[in-house]
Amino acid sequence: MSSEILINMTPNETRVALVENGVLQEVYIERERKRGLVGNVYKGKVSRVLPGMQAAFIDIGLERAAFLHASDIVSESVSGEEEKLDNITELVHEGQDICVQVIKDPLGTKGARLTTQVSIPSRFLVFMPGTSHIGVSQKIEGEEERARLREHMENIITEEYAGGYILRTAAEGISEAELDADVKFLNRLWDAIRERMRTAPTKSVIHEDLPLAMRMMRDLVSPEIEKVRIDSRETFERAARFARKFIPEVSRRIEYYPGERPIFDLYSVEDEIHKALEKKAQLKSGGYLIIDQTEALTTIDVNTGAFVGHRNLEETIFKTNLEAAQAIARQVRLRNLGGIIILDFIDMQDEEHKRQVLRALEKALERDHAKCHISQVSGLGLVEMTRKRTRESLEHVLCETCPTCNGRGSLRTAETVCYEIFREILREARQYDAQTFLVMAGHEVVDRLLDEESDNIAELEDFIGKPIKLQVESLYTQEQYDVVLM
């Protein structure tokens, strides 16, 4: 599979697109004023301890206090190894200074999620000071290769470089010398971080992860990536220097893109981003997905749409669901949907068809960089899955709640608002001795009151014995109105 990474730089925003076989699969966006926090290390202060939740809120200098659960706190045991305790009150107290690392960006109304177990990634390794565990990425499948990498790490790790290490997917096939260089780099970085932990003021950043462009060079570039195209000369030069130092085998694949045509117009990336903000996602067969993202979970509904098939209903449903499985895996990555996701495939009677659709979904999600877990088909024909959420979804990054409907996605009809106005006039006529009632409302509501509801207005005037005047307020939404006593 041929893949490319496109990096678009503007003064206030960095965008990275991962394209596989000419089709956009993932988008990463980072804005100068709102950079991602995952991986950053802070010196914070415990602002509140909640024994009932076994958690604490930590002030790390952000708009909202960050959340630290007892299960994410480690403390040194007598042997010097780090251990986890259960009771939050034994671990922290209000006013205490504490060094923490962000493991989840602030999402919606929630603050960042923290841990005290600092981990520092490099090209081939993730370093976890305080533990002695050596792990290997599950994506490295060969048992011989896994054993070889473990043996190299056991040779490298001495008392000077003690700690826990996880070998990343990129470590597959590399030499012991390259691993040794990575271990030394990580330990030098950790020494510098520890020094800043001692001297830094409270509520300050101790260590920041790389900017998005460099982070993607470190995390996304693999042997499958044929090219990394960058449309900024300055960023290209920085990326080239970064590659020569840390990933020399990639340096030849980095290109400066000087074209007049915007880089995100290649492979229709810009159009695909706009489509990813819509609720409806079309399938090539004529079917479609409806994607509803809410605070609690995301639902994806599969429909046959215009696809009528060629043989019978069961075959039509099976083919639509197979295509939908591929499309769902792509949409989940592209929109960066996380948390609980409920998939409503079209009901299938054949157990073999259900198995094949689930297998197709699992296979399509294997390329996802986020951890996913898929359940079996439930009794209601639904598939439940979870996807690890560490940053905001594409919709939350690029959009805001509609101020007219407040995110409901619907408005009360003009007819409904008219009847509310009638009830309000009756209520006020009983309470106050007004000479005239002035109704101020939006254009659609006043038009209806003057047209379809004119008879009702006349009857209401007779009933209360007072005139009712109407006034259009151009700035009012369809749901807004005021009844003024005159």
Side-chain angles (χ1 to χ4, degrees):
M1 181 177 286
S2 64
S3 303
E4 287 187 32
I5 293 175
L6 309 178
I7 301 178
N8 167 232
M9 302 292 299
T10 53
N12 300 310
E13 184 182 60
T14 303
R15 299 188 301 170
V16 178
L18 174 62
V19 179
E20 294 175 356
N21 286 345
V23 179
L24 177 65
Q25 297 293 336
E26 293 181 24
V27 176
Y28 300 82
I29 297 173
E30 185 173 85
R31 289 172 176 165
E32 200 60 39
R33 293 178 184 173
K34 199 178 177 183
R35 285 188 59 182
L37 306 176
V38 174
N40 289 3
V41 180
Y42 292 84
K43 188 171 186 178
K45 185 181 283 290
V46 180
S47 58
R48 196 175 170 200
V49 179
L50 305 170
M53 292 177 64
Q54 286 300 306
F57 285 107
I58 314 294
D59 185 355
I60 56 174
L62 302 178
E63 187 180 338
R64 290 191 295 271
F67 182 83
L68 176 65
H69 193 266
S71 62
D72 293 314
I73 302 176
V74 289
S75 58
E76 282 202 4
S77 64
V78 179
S79 63
E81 281 281 315
E82 290 187 352
E83 64 175 2
K84 294 193 177 185
L85 302 174
D86 292 332
N87 196 340
I88 189 72
T89 54
E90 296 175 12
L91 296 166
V92 293
H93 57 82
E94 286 188 22
Q96 174 186 340
D97 286 351
I98 186 169
C99 290
V100 288
Q101 185 172 40
V102 177
I103 54 175
K104 263 189 192 176
D105 277 332
L107 300 169
T109 57
K110 299 173 185 174
R113 179 81 183 257
L114 306 174
T115 180
T116 62
Q117 172 64 75
V118 175
S119 60
I120 310 166
S122 66
R123 173 64 178 149
F124 304 120
L125 300 167
V126 177
F127 177 44
M128 298 178 297
T131 72
S132 56
H133 172 72
I134 298 176
V136 183
S137 166
Q138 291 182 348
K139 291 186 177 178
I140 300 176
E141 295 178 353
E143 284 303 320
E144 286 185 17
E145 178 62 10
R146 294 172 71 88
R148 183 186 74 86
L149 291 169
R150 281 180 184 277
E151 186 182 338
H152 285 341
M153 290 305 296
E154 285 165 5
N155 294 338
I156 293 166
I157 298 172
T158 59
E159 194 172 322
E160 185 183 357
Y161 300 130
Y165 296 87
I166 295 174
L167 289 129
R168 306 180 72 181
T169 311
E172 188 168 7
I174 67 161
S175 66
E176 186 174 333
E178 289 172 298
L179 283 175
D180 186 49
D182 241 23
V183 168
K184 288 175 179 172
F185 163 75
L186 287 168
N187 277 271
R188 285 197 301 271
L189 182 56
W190 174 236
D191 288 342
I193 290 171
R194 276 196 302 184
E195 179 60 30
R196 286 198 289 275
M197 282 179 175
R198 287 193 303 103
T199 58
T202 308
K203 295 188 279 189
S204 64
V205 184
I206 292 171
H207 168 71
E208 275 192 284
D209 204 357
L210 295 167
L212 180 64
M214 301 303 112
R215 209 160 64 238
M216 293 301 101
M217 292 283 295
R218 180 191 71 197
D219 297 341
L220 285 186
V221 175
S222 65
E224 293 175 353
I225 302 294
E226 291 183 352
K227 288 179 185 175
V228 179
R229 301 190 191 188
I230 306 172
D231 66 358
S232 158
R233 170 67 72 178
E234 183 185 347
T235 306
F236 163 72
E237 289 172 355
R238 283 181 62 198
R241 287 196 298 272
F242 179 86
R244 283 196 295 271
K245 186 173 181 181
F246 297 109
I247 38 176
E249 73 279 6
V250 174
S251 54
R252 289 184 181 178
R253 293 183 245 161
I254 302 172
E255 292 182 2
Y256 170 58
Y257 176 79
E260 291 182 9
R261 187 183 175 198
I263 192 168
F264 267 30
D265 281 3
L266 301 178
Y267 308 114
S268 303
V269 169
E270 207 74 70
D271 291 341
E272 290 296 325
I273 292 173
H274 292 154
K275 286 179 187 174
L277 299 176
E278 297 173 4
K279 282 179 66 171
K280 193 173 185 177
Q282 288 291 153
L283 303 177
K284 288 181 181 176
S285 64
Y288 59 91
L289 309 176
I290 296 293
I291 302 170
D292 268 316
Q293 196 178 340
T294 68
E295 185 78 15
L297 50 80
T298 300
T299 60
I300 302 179
D301 184 33
V302 182
N303 297 279
T304 53
F307 181 53
V308 294
H310 301 290
R311 294 174 62 186
N312 55 48
L313 178 61
E314 182 67 20
E315 197 65 28
T316 302
I317 290 171
F318 176 52
K319 285 188 175 177
T320 304
N321 282 340
L322 271 181
E323 186 185 0
Q326 303 287 334
I328 286 168
R330 176 174 176 262
Q331 290 296 330
V332 160
R333 291 174 68 189
L334 179 55
R335 297 170 189 242
N336 191 32
L337 302 174
I340 300 169
I341 303 170
I342 307 295
L343 312 178
D344 186 6
F345 286 103
I346 307 167
D347 288 344
M348 295 172 284
Q349 303 303 317
D350 191 324
E351 291 299 322
E352 178 60 21
H353 285 177
K354 290 180 185 178
R355 192 192 65 77
Q356 287 189 42
V357 168
L358 267 183
R359 178 67 191 121
L361 179 64
E362 288 168 357
K363 190 168 178 59
L365 285 169
E366 283 176 1
R367 302 190 62 77
D368 195 342
H369 294 93
K371 190 175 181 180
C372 299
H373 173 73
I374 304 170
S375 74
Q376 297 300 309
V377 180
S378 74
L380 296 174
L382 304 174
V383 176
E384 299 162 14
M385 68 171 279
T386 59
R387 184 172 184 268
K388 189 174 181 183
R389 175 164 49 192
T390 56
R391 57 193 174 94
E392 291 275 25
S393 69
L394 188 65
E395 181 184 330
H396 286 157
V397 171
L398 299 180
C399 304
E400 64 181 7
T401 302
C402 169
T404 304
C405 70
N406 291 317
R408 293 200 319 268
S410 60
L411 292 173
R412 295 199 293 277
T413 64
E415 182 181 20
T416 303
V417 177
C418 287
Y419 297 154
E420 285 182 11
I421 290 170
F422 294 160
R423 288 193 294 272
E424 183 64 23
I425 291 171
L426 279 170
R427 189 181 298 116
E428 295 193 6
R430 291 188 184 109
Q431 285 184 302
Y432 307 107
D433 185 22
Q435 299 304 309
T436 306
F437 291 90
L438 172 64
V439 175
M440 303 165 66
H443 199 283
E444 299 86 352
V445 174
V446 173
D447 280 354
R448 186 173 182 92
L449 288 170
L450 290 170
D451 192 2
E452 291 99 323
E453 307 297 337
S454 56
D455 290 346
N456 291 330
I457 286 278
E459 285 180 22
L460 188 57
E461 284 179 323
D462 288 342
F463 182 76
I464 64 175
K466 304 287 169 63
I468 298 171
K469 294 183 177 180
L470 307 175
Q471 180 177 313
V472 174
E473 288 293 326
S474 58
L475 296 179
Y476 278 26
T477 67
Q478 186 166 292
E479 294 188 343
Q480 286 180 294
Y481 66 86
D482 285 301
V483 179
V484 181
L485 309 180
M486 298 177 69

